[in-house]
Amino acid sequence: MPIGAGYAEAIGHHGELVQGLFEDDGVQMRRALVSLPCRQLRSKVRFTPNSSDQLIVMPASREKAKRAAELTVNAFGRPGTGANLEIDSNIPLSRGMGSSTADVLASILAVLDWLGIEAASHDVMQIAVSAETACDSTLFRQQAVLFAHRDGVVMEAFRRPLPPIDFISIDTTPGATVDTLEFATARYDQLEIESFRPLRGLLRTAIKSADARMLGRVATASARINERFLPKPRLAEIETIGVRFDAIGIQVAHSGTVVGLMFDAMDQKASENIKRATAALKQSGFEPAVFRH
Amino acid sequence: MSTRALMRKLEDFEGPRLVPLGGDLYGASFFLMKLLPARFMLERATERGLLRPGGTVCESSSGTFGLALAMLAVQHGYKLILVSDWALDRHLHRRLIELGAEVTIVDRPALTGGLQQARLDRLQEYLQEASGSFWPSQYYNSDNPLSYGKVAEQFVDRLGKVDCLVGPVGSGGSMSGTSRYLRTLFPDLYAIGVDTPNSVLFGQPSGKLNLSGLGGNILPTNVDHSQFDEVHWLVPAEAFHATHDLHRKHGLFMGPTSGAAYRVAQWWSRNNPGKTVVALFPDEGHRYAETVYDEKWLEKITGWSELPKASPLAVGTPRAPMSGWSRFAWGRRSFDDVLGQAND
Ligand SMILES: Cc1ncc(COP(=O)(O)O)c(C=O)c1O
């Protein structure tokens, strides 16, 4: 009987820097995104096998994580292994911040940890997509990727990580939730589809030259294009406050309710600007929270 | 994911090469710019069921758009009928025929709209005769400006922020489309269109045009006037001088509309140091070996022997008579907005 336990963590995100429809090498169009990772948001998973033949997940509502652990056991271990899967996460649920994906990824990684196996990220992604039909790009920490979240494949790997971004998080509809997969997928028109090309071009340049300001422009443009599919109340007001305090852009959860006012973490004045922008947001009745890179 | 009919065999010829021209000025030098909108329009037409495999494409063109269509037609198996006029260069004519295109020459101008209208009238006859044939209609088809997302991508990929875009305006597709895409990222982009006197595109009274690819006697819907911050008009001799400068100073052997864009971009760049400027150079010089690059031919051009002006004359209205390089602050207004004021 196997002994010991496996442990892993995965992080959540604060929505996306970009999300849209992009052409891959085979000139196939795919939906893809670049997540804005948020290291303060984590799902911690412990996988503890026992002598039963039942996999029990806690909290019991995390069905997808359970399914992911089962798929991983079936693919790499002995099918039918009984275990407890304990999930401890501080990622807000159903806000487009990757709580479900983080649970799924951490569960897969916890099983692999117990098995003592290092799997290719592609295989991890494939299991994640089968468990939850979509995934995000938070698994990739060393380099930024444009990730086809419904296919579980990397469309473009950039040579460097994202430049450091500090941001103020604003939930534009506290209380309301968006089921990431129930919300109807965006039907982009031709102008929007073609607009994603220059966005991708600038994304490449921004990452290559570690230019947070350029990244801010990409995120803002993506937020604007997607606004008609899942509008964020009072987005214009947030943007106006951002302009006053030298924010480099806005980014949104394309399948959620949060908006991030982005600041260049390398800019000496960022801290002061964030403080003043936060105060201004509070004055306008928002409930801002600051996240440092 | 969707399945699309793709025509990408010539894709590597679609994009520009970016050439530094001193300071922060770059030339976007195309082999044949029209390959991009032509391919895009044909792909979209097949998607909508307007063009079937082996079908017939009909278009009115005496220039680069016809050539682009002919190259694509050969590569992807379409039949092409082109309606043209006497301005069709004899070498290009031969080349089009070798590419298998059926070329019809119209020689009598229509009562209004000149030869351009006469060509369109003839085209209508062909479209009615050949059932199921597709008319790309580069002047009116919104897929023309839509195709330029790829060009905008290449610019920001190479240069990051672009502050100013300068280019010749014919159908309006390249400048209107590229400016619009760049502005999704850089809303402050300054767009300058280059036209020629006697062209109605930006409000000049209609008259004889001697610079193919630049301006027109009919106003195409693909000119999105609200994209232009500034408009310049160059007479042919000025465009030709600039074309030679571009060749002599930078080694770029381009057509005269490229020269026109170069002249204006260089002037703006000099007055706005530190700003990244891109000028569109739509085609190469080979088609003009016996004209723009021929001293004997040039001697007969009005104003060729004069020293070219170093800067434009600012005009108060686009309707003003223009004898040389002129400019007008268009201010991203609609045609009616500007010409309403001009009439006051
Ligand atoms: C040589 C050349 N330059 C410039 C243009 C103008 O480009 P657009 O039609 O995109 O305005 C054309 C258009 O036919 C052209 O043939």
Side-chain angles (χ1 to χ4, degrees):
Chain A
M1 204 69 260
I3 47 156
Y7 178 80
E9 297 184 1
I11 60 168
H13 58 75
H14 194 267
E16 293 74 33
L17 290 164
V18 194
Q19 181 163 323
L21 201 55
F22 300 88
E23 197 171 84
D24 72 10
D25 295 338
V27 287
Q28 186 78 250
M29 300 305 287
R30 292 178 191 271
R31 291 178 186 275
L33 51 73
V34 179
S35 308
L36 175 58
C38 187
R39 65 185 168 82
Q40 291 88 346
L41 300 176
R42 270 170 207 264
S43 173
K44 305 171 184 178
V45 173
R46 185 172 300 279
F47 177 80
T48 318
N50 53 37
S51 52
S52 78
D53 57 359
Q54 297 267 325
L55 190 83
I56 293 173
V57 63
M58 284 170 295
S61 57
R62 310 293 165 95
E63 292 278 344
K64 287 172 181 169
K66 178 182 170 191
R67 168 122 188 86
E70 273 166 359
L71 288 170
T72 313
V73 168
N74 293 349
F76 295 98
R78 185 177 57 77
T81 302
N84 285 330
L85 188 71
E86 295 161 83
I87 300 176
D88 172 17
S89 168
N90 67 345
I91 309 171
L93 302 180
S94 302
R95 319 216 62 73
M97 296 169 84
S99 62
S100 178
T101 297
D103 291 347
V104 162
L105 287 176
S107 299
I108 298 168
L109 297 173
V111 174
L112 292 172
D113 179 51
W114 169 65
L115 289 166
I117 289 173
E118 211 168 306
S121 53
H122 176 78
D123 293 332
V124 174
M125 286 308 181
Q126 289 305 318
I127 296 174
V129 169
S130 348
E132 99 150 329
T133 54
C135 193
D136 59 47
S137 67
T138 49
L139 186 68
F140 304 90
R141 309 290 294 277
Q142 305 312 315
Q143 55 175 174
V145 295
L146 178 66
F147 187 70
H149 51 292
R150 286 167 179 272
D151 308 319
V153 297
V154 172
M155 288 190 73
E156 183 168 350
F158 306 100
R159 247 173 271 147
R160 304 176 58 164
L162 292 169
I165 305 283
D166 292 339
F167 61 90
I168 305 175
S169 167
I170 300 128
D171 196 334
T172 54
T173 329
T177 59
V178 178
D179 187 301
T180 313
L181 295 163
E182 269 177 21
F183 129 80
T185 50
R187 293 190 66 82
Y188 300 112
D189 65 24
Q190 201 62 33
L191 176 65
E192 289 162 341
I193 292 169
E194 296 300 318
S195 296
F196 287 123
R197 291 182 196 275
L199 263 63
R200 185 178 184 174
L202 194 63
L203 178 66
R204 227 176 262 137
T205 313
I207 295 170
K208 190 165 58 191
S209 51
D211 190 330
R213 233 161 237 287
M214 290 295 155
L215 197 60
R217 288 182 182 273
V218 177
T220 304
S222 178
R224 292 215 180 109
I225 292 172
N226 284 283
E227 178 67 359
R228 77 182 177 97
F229 302 105
L230 190 58
K232 305 285 183 287
R234 303 179 70 190
L235 186 65
E237 270 179 79
I238 299 171
E239 270 198 85
T240 307
I241 292 173
V243 170
R244 264 169 62 202
F245 300 104
D246 203 27
I248 58 171
I250 48 158
Q251 55 80 221
V252 300
H254 290 72
S255 54
T257 58
V258 290
V259 172
L261 205 48
M262 303 162 62
F263 293 83
D264 179 357
M266 305 302 274
D267 179 354
Q268 307 242 309
K269 297 199 203 83
S271 285
E272 183 56 28
N273 283 330
I274 289 171
K275 212 184 289 168
R276 294 168 61 199
T278 304
L281 285 162
K282 277 185 183 151
Q283 222 162 40
S284 299
F286 293 103
E287 289 173 33
V290 177
F291 287 88
R292 310 260 173 205
H293 75 285
Chain B
M1 289 197 282
S2 62
T3 33
R4 301 178 298 158
L6 299 173
M7 301 175 204
R8 303 294 174 91
K9 289 180 184 169
L10 294 168
E11 194 173 16
D12 283 358
F13 283 93
E14 286 174 1
R17 281 164 277 207
L18 278 170
V19 183
L21 301 175
D24 295 300
L25 172 61
Y26 295 84
S29 183
F30 289 84
F31 162 72
L32 186 61
M33 182 178 76
K34 291 288 169 180
L35 275 171
L36 172 66
R39 184 269 293 168
F40 193 87
M41 284 184 248
L42 295 186
E43 276 186 2
R44 295 269 291 154
T46 56
E47 257 173 53
R48 298 195 192 102
L50 299 172
L51 176 62
R52 293 179 200 291
T56 301
V57 177
C58 301
E59 181 61 289
S60 153
S61 171
S62 57
T64 55
F65 188 62
L67 179 59
L69 285 175
M71 290 172 68
L72 286 162
V74 162
Q75 279 282 11
H76 297 282
Y78 296 97
K79 191 170 175 296
L80 177 65
I81 298 174
L82 285 175
V83 182
S84 193
D85 57 47
W86 59 269
L88 178 65
D89 169 79
R90 67 193 168 98
H91 296 285
L92 178 60
H93 193 168
R94 237 185 278 148
R95 202 164 150 194
L96 292 169
I97 288 168
E98 179 143 328
L99 285 165
E102 185 182 326
V103 183
T104 298
I105 304 291
V106 168
D107 44 21
R108 202 176 309 156
L111 287 177
T112 48
L115 274 173
Q116 212 173 337
Q117 188 58 50
R119 281 174 10 200
L120 291 173
D121 293 344
R122 179 70 62 87
L123 181 73
Q124 285 307 327
E125 293 169 21
Y126 275 109
L127 288 167
Q128 265 146 32
E129 275 168 34
S131 73
S133 54
F134 171 65
W135 177 28
S137 180
Q138 66 154 333
Y139 294 94
Y140 303 97
N141 184 342
S142 60
D143 286 336
N144 172 4
L146 275 177
S147 68
Y148 286 90
K150 234 183 117 186
V151 170
E153 173 180 12
Q154 227 177 311
F155 291 170
V156 298
D157 196 329
R158 263 289 294 282
L159 305 172
K161 183 162 187 243
V162 178
D163 297 298
C164 176
L165 181 71
V166 184
V169 185
S171 70
S174 52
M175 274 304 290
S176 305
T178 312
S179 303
R180 185 166 184 181
Y181 285 119
L182 286 173
R183 284 198 176 117
T184 59
L185 293 160
F186 312 113
D188 297 336
L189 174 87
Y190 199 78
I192 306 178
V194 184
D195 195 358
T196 189
N198 300 338
S199 149
V200 304
L201 266 48
F202 291 95
Q204 274 275 288
S206 188
K208 191 162 167 25
L209 295 172
N210 295 305
L211 224 177
S212 114
L214 208 58
N217 296 119
I218 299 174
L219 181 56
T221 52
N222 277 337
V223 179
D224 175 359
H225 293 88
S226 68
Q227 297 293 341
F228 294 89
D229 291 284
E230 197 168 310
V231 178
H232 286 236
W233 292 262
L234 265 70
V235 298
E238 289 167 332
F240 300 157
H241 274 292
T243 309
H244 282 266
D245 276 355
L246 186 56
H247 189 214
R248 276 194 289 256
K249 293 185 184 148
H250 301 287
L252 297 179
F253 186 59
M254 308 304 292
T257 62
S258 304
Y262 169 61
R263 174 62 76 242
V264 174
Q266 186 193 38
W267 170 82
W268 196 88
S269 178
R270 215 183 303 123
N271 290 308
N272 295 274
K275 298 281 188 194
T276 301
V277 185
V278 178
L280 300 180
F281 298 160
D283 72 345
E284 298 190 332
H286 312 287
R287 290 205 303 127
Y288 313 95
E290 291 184 347
T291 53
V292 179
Y293 287 100
D294 184 279
E295 283 296 334
K296 283 238 145 38
W297 184 86
L298 284 167
E299 277 167 15
K300 300 195 190 96
I301 298 298
T302 315
W304 174 251
S305 55
E306 291 159 33
L307 210 59
K309 286 169 39 170
S311 56
L313 201 68
V315 292
T317 159
R319 289 207 199 283
M322 296 171 185
S323 59
W325 188 4
S326 309
R327 78 180 168 102
F328 177 75
W330 192 272
R332 298 195 199 181
R333 286 172 288 170
S334 72
F335 188 86
D336 288 344
D337 274 354
V338 171
L339 289 149
Q341 282 181 5
N343 282 333
D344 289 345

